[in-house]
Amino acid sequence: MTAASTGLQLPPLSLYIHVPWCVRKCPYCDFNSHAQRGEIPQADYLQALLDDLDAELNWVQGRTLQSIFIGGGTPSLMEAAFYRQLLGQVEQRIPFAEGIEITLEANPGTFEQARFAGYREAGINRLSLGIQSFDDGCLQALGRIHSGAEAEQAVAQARTIGFERLNLDLMHGLPGQTPAMALADLERAIALETTHLSWYQLTIEPNTEFHSRPPTLPEDEDLWAIQEQGQARLAEAGFEQYEISGYSKTGQQCRHNLNYWCFGDYLGIGAGAHAKLTDPASGSSGRLVRRWKVRQPKAYLAGLNRAEQRDIDADELPLEFMMNTLRLSDGVEAELFEQRTGLPLTMIEPQLARARSLGLLVADPALLRPTLQGRRFLNELLELFV
């Protein structure tokens, strides 16, 4: 199937940058993060990132960067000068779109707060604070090294410096947490007047300390009460649930994540970084690929950062597309399926008809939008596209 015979188009392009170090590995964390041992080799890592990016430039294909997301690990362990140099060098290689969103994940500890002004001056215009909870007992159970008071101070500090766009990362269903405690966390977040919340349930993932030594979590009845009451309170406070775990004030959605969920393209640089990219000019045949880098920081710094990749097979694409787009409460226009996959929409018409008959998708054929029931039973909806 050629690109010309399908609706395949080059989507918007984002960049993900991974910083793999953290002060201490949290017991619930399954991300590619590594406890800091001595000084972080910032200059060497900066050069490795730029070498990595240089090897990826053929995938840019004339596009500008719509967003950059710097995740980890704990990116706020790096000095502001690191990001000033990094972002300047990135822009020399790939033009920034007007109004580009540049997000940095940061811990709310006092040490990191001292760097917030430098991050803003470096060009970062959105902070994502890993608060998890404002309750000191819950924070201790999660292995976090900041307090609830420090979290509130970090938000105030970010606001004073000029970060108008601010995400607070909160978890619920924590060890020993009651519905009242979970709602109290939300109340403190709402009172801080943040523009965006990532609010999601703690899950026990393989290869984590919690998996080998599981904590006692709330009962299902309490988990349901937390979810139901929390969503109602956030809606009352003016937060729109625009995707499964994303809640924002009007116009404050995370544009980087929206590009993920709309099956856009993103480059990935750094130890363990992943990418999803479109190559419509590959022998005139459209193809989509996933790429990833070596996970261990030492190996990455040693230059073993050549990307591994695999093509996404045509029979995988419907599920891959739906796993992303159906996270969105508003879904997407149906024509986006052809534009982002290169496959005709008729290929999945039987599955779409079945989903609509089950009340999991809205009846409008121009939209791929989950109903309220479809959002509640998303796994069952996605199984139709396996």
Side-chain angles (χ1 to χ4, degrees):
M1 182 179 297
T2 65
S5 67
T6 71
L8 186 67
Q9 299 177 11
L10 273 178
L13 181 67
S14 296
L15 171 65
Y16 175 75
I17 302 171
H18 193 74
V19 177
W21 293 282
C22 59
V23 175
R24 184 174 69 192
K25 184 82 170 179
C26 294
Y28 59 86
C29 178
D30 69 335
F31 296 147
N32 185 39
S33 59
H34 303 263
Q36 178 183 353
R37 301 280 191 269
E39 292 293 319
I40 295 174
Q42 297 194 42
D44 291 342
Y45 197 66
L46 173 62
Q47 188 58 55
L49 286 172
L50 296 176
D51 291 344
D52 192 354
L53 182 60
D54 285 339
E56 299 289 304
L57 293 179
N58 62 305
W59 293 97
V60 175
Q61 301 181 77
R63 289 174 287 182
T64 58
L65 280 179
Q66 304 298 309
S67 65
I68 298 174
F69 195 100
I70 307 165
T74 306
S76 52
L77 292 178
M78 310 298 259
E79 296 172 1
F82 173 88
Y83 291 114
R84 184 168 58 251
Q85 295 175 63
L86 174 61
L87 293 174
Q89 290 292 321
V90 171
E91 188 173 17
Q92 286 183 25
R93 290 159 169 81
I94 313 175
F96 288 0
E98 184 177 353
I100 185 174
E101 174 190 272
I102 305 177
T103 302
L104 176 83
E105 289 185 337
N107 270 357
T110 303
F111 172 77
E112 285 89 349
Q113 289 180 42
R115 293 177 165 169
F116 285 1
Y119 294 152
R120 189 72 186 88
E121 292 169 3
I124 292 159
N125 53 30
R126 185 175 182 271
L127 275 188
S128 179
L129 295 176
I131 288 172
Q132 314 313 349
S133 176
F134 292 98
D135 183 279
D136 288 343
C138 288
L139 288 170
Q140 186 175 9
L142 290 173
R144 302 295 287 172
I145 57 176
H146 67 271
S147 66
E150 283 181 310
E152 292 189 340
Q153 182 183 14
V155 176
Q157 177 80 348
R159 284 266 181 253
T160 299
I161 286 165
F163 281 102
E164 296 179 359
R165 302 193 66 209
L166 192 62
N167 171 63
L168 305 186
D169 215 50
L170 284 178
M171 300 168 69
H172 60 84
L174 309 179
Q177 189 181 56
T178 64
M181 292 166 65
L183 269 291
D185 270 348
L186 284 183
E187 291 296 345
R188 291 175 76 171
I190 291 167
L192 290 169
E193 299 184 341
T194 185
T195 57
H196 191 284
L197 280 170
S198 295
W199 188 63
Y200 53 94
Q201 183 179 323
L202 170 66
T203 56
I204 306 301
E205 303 292 345
N207 302 314
T208 64
E209 184 180 331
F210 273 178
H211 189 264
S212 57
R213 292 187 293 173
T216 301
L217 301 179
E219 299 291 335
D220 287 346
E221 184 176 332
D222 283 341
L223 292 173
W224 180 253
I226 290 170
Q227 188 77 33
E228 195 170 50
Q229 294 171 31
Q231 287 178 340
R233 179 66 187 101
L234 287 171
E236 181 184 32
F239 285 89
E240 174 197 0
Q241 185 184 10
Y242 69 97
E243 61 105 357
I244 290 175
S245 59
Y247 301 77
S248 78
K249 293 297 183 72
T250 301
Q252 294 297 319
Q253 297 94 334
C254 176
R255 297 201 295 271
H256 187 87
N257 284 347
L258 281 176
N259 192 40
Y260 287 163
W261 309 145
C262 290
F263 216 49
D265 276 5
Y266 53 96
L267 297 162
I269 61 172
H274 283 242
K276 173 257 168 185
L277 296 156
T278 304
D279 181 12
S282 172
S284 78
S285 296
R287 66 181 180 127
L288 283 79
V289 302
R290 293 205 178 276
R291 293 166 62 82
W292 59 94
K293 310 298 169 58
V294 64
R295 291 173 57 88
Q296 291 295 326
K298 286 184 179 179
Y300 184 84
L301 286 165
L304 304 178
N305 57 5
R306 180 177 296 175
E308 295 187 54
Q309 76 174 47
R310 74 172 187 88
D311 287 20
I312 306 174
D313 293 337
D315 57 2
E316 297 177 86
L317 278 171
L319 178 60
E320 289 258 1
F321 180 87
M322 294 298 179
M323 283 178 64
N324 286 278
T325 56
L326 294 183
R327 288 181 62 101
L328 297 169
S329 301
D330 290 339
V332 294
E333 294 183 357
E335 64 184 13
L336 194 70
F337 179 79
E338 293 194 11
Q339 294 171 5
R340 297 289 159 89
T341 68
L343 302 173
L345 188 63
T346 53
M347 177 180 178
I348 56 170
E349 278 298 348
Q351 295 96 316
L352 295 176
R354 176 65 174 160
R356 291 177 180 126
S357 71
L358 293 172
L360 302 176
L361 282 181
V362 298
D364 187 346
L367 291 176
L368 301 177
R369 179 180 181 178
T371 61
L372 182 60
Q373 184 177 354
R375 289 162 58 188
R376 184 171 295 173
F377 298 100
L378 183 58
N379 287 340
E380 287 80 353
L381 173 55
L382 293 175
E383 284 175 4
L384 297 174
F385 299 94
V386 174

